[in-house]
Amino acid sequence: MEMVANREQAVQALQKIGRTLYERGLVNGAEGNISLRAVDGTVYISARGSRLGELRPEDVAHITTAGQAVEPGPEPTSEYLLHTLVYESCPELRVVLHTHSAYATAVAVNRENVPPLIDEMTILLGGGIDVAPYAPPGTPELARGAAQGLREKADRALQRQRERRQHEKNLREGKKKPWAPPPKPKEEGPVQRGKPRPQKARRRPKDGPQAQRPASAKGGPGGRRLTGTFRKP
C-alpha cells in the first residue's frame, strides 16, 4: 500500500479498509480500530466509537506518533498508543489493523502460540503466531507487548519476504540452476554372510566304461546312485 500524502487520501484508504474488515466479519459495530502512516510521519487513525464498516470523514483523527493532535478533529481511539508504539517500533510498517476476529480472540484466550501449520505462514508471517501477554485495554502495557511481539515477528517476516523476492527475481532472470537427474545409486552385489566358500572345479568323466554307462546305471537325477531294497511284486 502506498503512503498517503493528505487527509483526503487517508480518509479514502481508511474507508476502504474498514469496509473490507466489516465484510469479512473481522469487526462488528464499533469494534476495532485502524490507522495508517502518512508521508510526513503523522498518523491518521479511526476515532473513538467509530464504526469501521461505515467510516465517515469526520471519524478520522490526525495525530503525531506522540499522540498529539495535528489538526482539530475527533478524539482518536482509546487504543491510539498501540498504533503509535507499533509505528515507532516498526518504521517499515504503513498500516496497523486492530480487529476483533473470533478466531484471533479464541487463540488469545487460550494463551497458546499458533505453530506454522502451513508453508504460507512461514513465508508471509515469518513463522507461527505469538500471543502477547495479557494487559488491560488502552494501557501502555498492552501497547508495549504488542509492539515488541510485532517487532520480533516483522524481522522474521521481512527476511522471508526478501528471500522470496530474490527467488522470484532469479526465476525471472533465468538464474535458476538447470535441472539435472539425480545420480544413480551404486549397484551392490548380493549380501554375503561369513567367509565365502571357494567353488570346486567339476571333474570331467574319463574315457572308458565309466563314461559309457547309461544314466540308469549311474543312478538317479544328477548322477546319484539309488540304493535300497526292492520287493518283487
Side-chain angles (χ1 to χ4, degrees), residues 10 50-51 63 85-86 89-90 94 98 118 125 129 145 164 167 176 196 201 203 207 220 228:
S50 59
R51 304 171 68 90
I63 62 175
L85 284 185
V86 167
S89 178
C90 308
R94 301 178 181 179
H98 175 200
I118 56 177
L125 303 179
I129 301 175
R164 188 183 68 167
H167 180 66
K176 185 179 178 182
R203 296 181 180 180
D207 296 338

Side-chain angles (χ1 to χ4, degrees), residues 113-204:
N113 297 338
V114 180
L117 303 176
I118 56 177
D119 294 339
E120 285 73 13
M121 292 180 66
T122 303
I123 297 173
L124 301 176
L125 303 179
I129 301 175
D130 299 337
V131 177
Y134 171 80
T139 60
E141 292 77 14
L142 175 66
R144 284 194 293 266
Q148 180 180 359
L150 287 174
R151 174 68 273 166
E152 297 173 356
K153 182 66 63 176
D155 289 339
R156 297 196 296 269
L158 288 175
Q159 179 62 29
R160 296 290 183 179
Q161 290 280 19
R162 295 190 190 100
E163 293 176 357
R164 188 183 68 167
R165 285 195 293 267
Q166 183 62 38
H167 180 66
E168 293 174 349
K169 181 181 179 181
N170 293 343
L171 291 178
R172 289 193 301 268
E173 296 179 357
K175 293 183 178 181
K176 185 179 178 182
K177 295 182 179 180
W179 180 87
K184 293 183 178 181
K186 297 181 179 180
E187 296 183 359
E188 299 180 357
V191 179
Q192 297 181 355
R193 298 181 180 179
K195 187 176 180 181
R197 296 181 179 179
Q199 297 181 356
K200 296 181 179 181
R202 294 183 179 180
R203 296 181 180 180
R204 294 184 179 180

Side-chain angles (χ1 to χ4, degrees), residues 10-21 23 34 52 55:
V11 170
Q12 293 177 355
L14 290 175
Q15 287 177 332
K16 183 178 180 180
I17 294 173
R19 286 194 301 268
T20 302
L21 296 178
E23 292 171 356
I34 56 179
L52 299 185
L55 202 63

Side-chain angles (χ1 to χ4, degrees), residues 66-97:
Q68 300 175 351
V70 176
E71 56 182 299
E75 182 181 0
T77 173
S78 59
E79 298 287 2
Y80 77 90
L81 190 58
L82 183 150
H83 293 254
T84 56
L85 284 185
V86 167
Y87 287 128
E88 291 181 354
S89 178
C90 308
E92 69 277 5
L93 297 185
R94 301 178 181 179
V95 179
V96 174
L97 309 178

